[in-house]
Every structure is written in structure tokens, then in C-alpha cells.
Amino acid sequence: MSENLLLAFALMLVLEGVLPFLAPKAWKDTFSRLVQLNDGQIRFIGLTVMLAGLMLLMVFR
């Protein structure tokens, strides 16, 4: 179990690094827009992403 968790974390880090590596300007523009959102909007985005991830886990597991 812990090996799978570490593999998932490593994959997440790789995926998180792709956009800043390939398109740093787009990455900075995205984060500058994200900073302008209020806390409720950011929480909703986070909740939506977590639920999408959970659904993908259930589908592919």
C-alpha cells in the first residue's frame, strides 16, 4: 500500500511539473488569475478536483 502511495505521489509531482516546464508563461498567467478568486471559489475548485479524482479511482480500480 505505501509503495503505491509513493508511486502516486511521484506521478503527481511529474504531472504538476509538466506545465511549468513546457509553458511557463501560461502557468504564471493561470496562477495570477487564480490569486484573484475569493476563498469560496478556490475551495469549490479544490472540491471538484478531489471528487473527480475519487471518481477516476473508483472507475479504474
Side-chain angles (χ1 to χ4, degrees), residues 6-26:
L6 289 173
L7 288 173
F9 185 67
L11 181 60
M12 181 202 68
L13 291 175
V14 169
L15 293 174
E16 287 287 329
V18 169
L19 190 59
F21 179 74
L22 295 177
K25 177 145 177 42

Side-chain angles (χ1 to χ4, degrees), residues 1-11:
M1 175 71 178
S2 66
E3 183 179 330
N4 287 340
L5 188 58
L6 289 173
L7 288 173
F9 185 67
L11 181 60

